Amino acid sequence: KYSMLFGLHFAGTGWWFADAFLQNMDGNNPSINTLGLLTFLIATSLISLILANIAFQQLPNHGETILKTTIVFSTAAALVVGTIGAVQGQNLFLTVCGFVAFVGCGVYMNAAWSRLSFTSVNLSVAVAAVRNNMGLVTASLGIAAVGFAWLFVAVIAGVNAYQNYGRWTLAYALFSYCWTHQVLTNVLTVATSGIIGRWFVIGEETPSLTTGLKETLTRARTYSFGSICFGSLFLGIVQIIQGINNFAWSKRVPLLPSILDKILTATKTIIDDVSEWSYVYVGLYGYSYTNAAKHVTTLFHNKGVDSIVKYQLASNAMLMVNATVGLLTGYCGHVFGTFEEHIDWSSGLGLGSSGDEFFVGFLVGFHMSSILLSVVSAAINTLVVCFQESPEEFRTNHPDLSLMMESAWKMKMDETISEI
């Protein structure tokens, strides 16, 4: 039913796009320059792909430095964006987004800074696994191409709805963007989990792994698609609430933890079925999303690593990298918006503010980067699950990588025990 719901929401966005296209054909909506918008999206997409590729190449050797840099940069940039918006007083939405992002980045920095060394080891092993399965990079580029086409449709639909139906449509446009983005990313996540799991067991890349990639992609787009739509709809919301709640309890913030606990208790049925780790079992064994959540929760509980995995190391670390790519791409979009009045070119947005070009540029950069780098975060989660299930197989098939993981996890387990 969630795949049907996703299809209905997709049809709504498609209707707005078709409406804008017909108005353009009739000359009734000249403010949307389709060719200019396409140029803008291509330019910002290429910039984000270049930045994401640089991050992918440098993560194995400079993982901890990159993570620290992206956290500091994202936090500072979010504060700058919010401050500029407040000083100019012309874009309340950008101001609110900037300050909310600043608070979120600050919370994450406080919680994760001491764990970045451990996270960087897992990142290095995951990138090595992906490099041994370069078909995943090809698959990510294919999904990114679909994502680019979706961005083109979504931006035109969103601008058309905003101009013709009012500001309230922005909320729906953002919801549509986020849900579709998550679905595309998680299709790739499930496929990555399937192929990394096979590589974990088989060893180095073989023809069976190439065949396996086609099989896992097909399963992700068909049999598992409903599970992906369900997880994509609820996971982000649950993670945000749980993250704020954990931070509030650790800092003894008055009142807030009690409120969030009540929200989490009231939605316990959904929360128990929602986990980023579920996608691993969906990709490995073809479980439904809810069954996968129960199995992976049981695994972590039996292995005694609940307190480590609850910090969502992969997703939060890559979120900062993707946010940095998005901010840098957004700045390029801002430059395009600033100079478009002086050159024979247009971003095609027709929204009247370079702040809007920054926001759309940020969405493009974040969207493309998170799709491409989702293979890394998915590889981390898959390796963690497989490592907890069968460390002996990892030691046999990939002794060097296994040694890195074993050392990092032993040290982290010792630290966790000493903190109790």
Side-chain angles (χ1 to χ4, degrees):
K1 62 183 179 180
Y2 285 97
S3 57
M4 292 177 62
L5 183 62
F6 178 77
L8 288 173
H9 123 273
F10 199 85
T13 304
W15 183 84
W16 277 344
F17 173 78
D19 182 49
F21 184 77
L22 291 174
Q23 288 188 45
N24 254 14
M25 292 288 290
D26 295 337
N28 296 325
N29 194 13
S31 60
I32 300 180
N33 179 346
T34 306
L35 181 59
L37 174 60
L38 187 60
T39 305
F40 178 84
L41 292 179
I42 290 174
T44 49
S45 294
L46 288 175
I47 291 169
S48 63
L49 291 178
I50 293 170
L51 293 173
N53 181 60
I54 292 173
F56 178 77
Q57 297 297 331
Q58 297 301 316
L59 277 172
N61 299 322
H62 309 286
E64 186 173 358
T65 301
I66 290 175
L67 292 180
K68 288 181 177 180
T69 302
T70 54
I71 291 173
V72 173
F73 177 81
S74 297
T75 305
L79 178 61
V80 170
V81 169
T83 303
I84 290 175
V87 171
Q88 291 181 344
Q90 297 178 348
N91 199 322
L92 178 61
F93 181 74
L94 200 64
T95 303
V96 172
C97 285
F99 284 124
V100 169
F102 170 71
V103 173
C105 289
V107 169
Y108 177 68
M109 179 189 292
N110 182 277
W113 196 264
S114 62
R115 300 180 179 89
L116 292 181
S117 178
F118 171 69
T119 304
S120 66
V121 173
N122 289 272
L123 269 173
S124 298
V125 175
V127 172
V130 172
R131 285 179 171 176
N132 275 296
N133 297 276
M134 289 303 289
L136 290 172
V137 176
T138 303
S140 70
L141 291 172
I143 298 293
V146 175
F148 175 84
W150 163 248
L151 276 174
F152 181 66
V153 171
V155 172
I156 287 182
V159 172
N160 175 58
Y162 171 77
Q163 292 176 341
N164 293 291
Y165 303 103
R167 289 180 176 271
W168 68 270
T169 58
L170 286 177
Y172 178 84
L174 277 175
F175 165 77
S176 177
Y177 165 86
C178 292
W179 194 12
T180 306
H181 166 75
Q182 286 296 311
V183 167
L184 289 174
T185 301
N186 290 327
V187 165
L188 186 58
T189 296
V190 168
T192 301
S193 295
I195 204 65
I196 293 297
R198 294 189 184 206
W199 170 84
F200 185 94
V201 174
I202 294 173
E204 299 305 317
E205 186 172 12
T206 67
S208 63
L209 289 178
T210 303
T211 303
L213 178 58
K214 295 177 182 178
E215 292 176 356
T216 54
L217 274 173
T218 300
R219 186 169 63 192
R221 292 176 296 182
T222 52
Y223 177 76
S224 300
F225 192 67
S227 295
I228 291 172
C229 292
F230 171 81
S232 300
L233 181 60
F234 293 109
L235 179 58
I237 299 171
V238 171
Q239 284 181 332
I240 290 172
I241 296 175
Q242 288 178 330
I244 295 174
N245 189 44
N246 290 336
F247 175 78
W249 276 113
S250 67
K251 297 301 177 183
R252 295 182 173 83
V253 178
L255 191 60
L256 182 59
S258 300
I259 296 174
L260 293 177
D261 272 343
K262 286 182 171 58
I263 294 174
L264 293 172
T265 302
T267 57
K268 187 177 187 300
T269 302
I270 293 177
I271 289 172
D272 287 345
D273 293 335
V274 174
S275 167
E276 70 169 291
W277 302 95
S278 301
Y279 292 114
V280 176
Y281 269 32
V282 173
L284 288 176
Y285 307 118
Y287 290 166
S288 70
Y289 189 89
T290 52
N291 284 336
K294 291 180 176 65
H295 280 84
V296 77
T297 300
T298 301
L299 171 68
F300 289 149
H301 178 73
N302 291 340
K303 295 293 183 177
V305 295
D306 312 60
S307 58
I308 297 177
V309 300
K310 74 176 183 179
Y311 290 105
Q312 303 152 2
L313 300 174
S315 59
N316 287 334
M318 298 314 297
L319 175 64
M320 292 295 103
V321 176
N322 295 327
T324 299
V325 172
L327 287 165
L328 292 173
T329 308
Y331 177 75
C332 293
H334 172 76
V335 172
F336 294 157
T338 300
F339 287 100
E340 66 178 330
E341 295 180 359
H342 306 289
I343 57 178
D344 187 21
W345 177 83
S346 170
S347 66
L349 293 172
L351 297 179
S353 169
S354 60
D356 296 314
E357 271 85 3
F358 172 85
F359 182 67
V360 174
F362 171 81
L363 292 182
V364 172
F366 183 85
H367 179 78
M368 300 300 285
S369 176
S370 55
I371 288 177
L372 288 171
L373 296 180
S374 66
V375 296
V376 177
S377 54
I380 294 174
N381 286 350
T382 306
L383 288 170
V384 168
V385 169
C386 292
F387 179 67
Q388 296 302 323
E389 281 190 334
S390 183
E392 295 80 11
E393 279 190 303
F394 198 30
R395 195 177 300 121
T396 300
N397 295 322
H398 311 281
D400 292 339
L401 297 178
S402 175
L403 181 60
M404 291 175 63
M405 288 277 284
E406 287 178 5
S407 299
W409 276 84
K410 184 180 184 304
M411 185 178 298
K412 192 62 189 175
M413 289 290 289
D414 292 342
E415 290 177 5
T416 303
I417 292 173
S418 65
E419 292 172 359
I420 297 175

